[in-house]
Amino acid sequence: MGEYLLRCAGCGAVQPEGALRCQEDDGLLRTEYKRKQLSPADLPGIWTFIDWLPVRGPLTSGDKPVAFQSTDLARELGLENLWISFSGYWPERGARIRTCSFKELEAAPTMQRLQEAGDGRVLVVASAGNTARSFAETASLTGQPLVLVVPKRSMHRLWITAERGNICLVGVDGDYNQAIALGEKISSRPGFVAEGGARNVARRDGMGTVVLDAALTSGTIPGHYFQAIGSGTGGIAAWEASMRLVQDGRFGSNLPRLHLAQNLPCAPIYSIRHGGEVDRSCPQDMYDDVLFNRHPPYEVRGGVKDALLATGGDVCGITNQEAEAAQRLFQEMEDIDILPAAAVAVAALKKAAIFGDIKPHEQVLLNVTGGGMDRLKQDFTINYLKCDIPADSSAPVEEIHREINEVLGRI
Ligand SMILES: *Cc1c(COP(=O)(O)O)cnc(C)c1O
Ligand SMILES: [Zn+2]
């Protein structure tokens, strides 16, 4: 089990268990595990990495990413040592994440940690897409209550494969930002808790298992890491997991260079580093709107900027056209469908290979953050989640609060 303490990446002070913020500054909190060497546990799914997850025991559900060495895509790109980590549904390769994205790697440790906190608070998640699905699936499997706050117009994307558990779905008349604002109001009421986004160490360390799994499979920390980002939390997580592997001592001593990819023109982190305007109409017409985040954890200590600095990494911009070509290429070469967000990472890899940013013999890890949705639909029927509480974003939160408790049977 993962014995750990929380330390602020800003001031270095140790923080109380369960804290989301440092009392002194804005730095991200980071876990420091007692075990310095990773020994895979004899547990299913993601819990094989329990030593480096901020939980005491395994949850009933929680699948893991699957890493393998690519042959066809590698040859096509002229790479000799390309590894793919796949988070999605692809049973032929052993990948069984049924909501088809790496957000489930965040949901499982988060739900388990919450259960262990034992204060009975209900998690509130505001999201438009993969995050809502993965938390809904996980909570349904574990039986924990959950409040989802989703823009009404994104409701059609909300499905799970499990039988719906004790979930209360609030549909907001507005966009993603209004859903977030309402989610914050709800989670600040007694009995509820916010998931914390990038500040939640269970989310980051869950995502970090992508790098752990790839290092265990290939034997070494990769030289390069490619991922499509919105907030960049996955990039921070990859950096943190790599630092732990360096400390472990058995997987090499170099951090992977982070190649983070954003979708142009809705690319705030890319714009900070390379200039160019972020379109006012964003996230409309994006190749995948899960890649848009208005307030990414960029400047905070321990955030995206520090991760790029520490690894000599960079952010690249990918157009819809480039992403589309990459999505087709991946499907042809590897014979599985991938989510549009993941195609943005494939496009970034393709560019880096063409421009010589990576050498043919260098070990590369491509994080395919989501895929296999077409494949899933051959094996499972999906259950769409219906809205329980239609909410105007200006509605009084007391009223919504009361209705939520009613839906969850908590009166
Ligand atoms: C959320 C998401 C991303 C971006 O993740 P970050 O939090 O920005 O690291 C990439 N791909 C998929 C499929 C996602 O759901
Ligand atoms: Zn601090």
Side-chain angles (χ1 to χ4, degrees), residues 101-103 130 207 227-234 290-291 339 341 369-370:
S101 89
F102 81 153
K103 294 294 192 307
N130 298 337
M207 287 170 139
Q227 192 207 306
I229 60 158
S231 67
T233 310
V290 303
L291 296 181
L339 294 190
T369 47

Side-chain angles (χ1 to χ4, degrees), residues 66-359:
V66 171
F68 64 93
Q69 188 167 12
S70 162
T71 49
D72 289 10
L73 182 66
R75 193 182 327 106
E76 182 69 21
L77 299 179
L79 300 174
E80 292 153 22
N81 202 358
L82 172 63
W83 291 75
I84 293 173
S85 171
F86 188 88
S87 292
Y89 188 74
W90 193 3
E92 291 74 17
R93 287 255 183 213
R96 299 181 188 283
I97 296 178
R98 293 200 219 157
T99 54
C100 299
S101 89
F102 81 153
K103 294 294 192 307
E104 236 185 276
L105 308 177
E106 307 178 61
T110 299
M111 295 309 282
Q112 172 63 12
R113 191 159 179 254
L114 192 70
Q115 192 152 310
E116 290 173 0
D119 56 16
R121 289 194 292 173
V122 176
L123 193 72
V124 180
V125 173
S127 155
N130 298 337
T131 302
R133 273 216 319 277
S134 62
F135 275 90
E137 177 97 7
T138 304
S140 293
L141 291 169
T142 66
Q144 288 163 282
L146 174 71
V147 177
L148 290 179
V149 189
V150 177
K152 267 187 199 150
R153 66 170 95 112
S154 306
M155 209 72 87
H156 63 281
R157 298 198 294 194
L158 231 91
W159 53 263
I160 54 177
T161 66
E163 196 162 323
R164 179 182 178 149
N166 196 12
I167 296 168
C168 176
L169 185 50
V170 181
V172 182
D173 232 346
D175 62 11
Y176 178 46
N177 290 303
Q178 281 155 320
I180 290 177
L182 181 61
E184 277 169 5
K185 280 194 219 159
I186 297 168
S187 64
S188 63
R189 306 205 39 110
F192 295 89
V193 60
E195 47 86 14
R199 295 200 165 271
N200 177 349
V201 292
R203 281 187 76 156
R204 300 210 309 278
D205 291 359
M207 287 170 139
T209 61
V210 165
V211 174
L212 304 184
D213 176 67
L216 280 182
T217 311
S218 73
T220 44
I221 302 168
H224 300 268
Y225 172 85
F226 284 81
Q227 192 207 306
I229 60 158
S231 67
T233 310
I236 302 169
W239 169 44
E240 292 172 331
S242 302
M243 285 194 281
R244 288 186 190 118
L245 288 169
V246 167
Q247 261 208 328
D248 178 303
R250 293 170 297 169
F251 301 95
S253 54
N254 294 321
L255 294 173
R257 239 178 95 193
L258 299 186
H259 301 257
L260 307 179
Q262 291 214 293
N263 186 197
L264 296 172
C266 303
I269 298 180
Y270 174 84
S271 297
I272 294 172
R273 303 183 68 89
H274 298 283
E277 290 288 304
V278 177
D279 213 301
R280 277 168 157 266
S281 63
C282 292
Q284 265 174 57
D285 304 323
M286 278 184 82
Y287 201 61
D288 193 332
D289 63 11
V290 303
L291 296 181
F292 192 65
N293 188 298
R294 252 173 255 272
H295 305 289
Y298 181 75
E299 291 277 355
V300 295
R301 293 297 301 280
V304 178
K305 187 181 179 184
D306 284 350
L308 291 169
L309 193 69
T311 63
D314 202 2
V315 181
C316 99
I318 297 297
T319 63
N320 286 6
Q321 216 173 9
E322 290 168 327
E324 202 181 319
Q327 191 165 10
R328 257 184 281 117
L329 176 71
F330 192 95
Q331 166 116 33
E332 274 166 34
M333 292 298 136
E334 300 293 342
D335 210 18
I336 187 77
D337 61 290
I338 59 173
L339 294 190
V344 169
V346 178
L349 173 65
K350 188 173 156 189
K351 262 191 168 168
I354 291 171
F355 289 121
D357 292 342
I358 45 181
K359 305 280 167 285

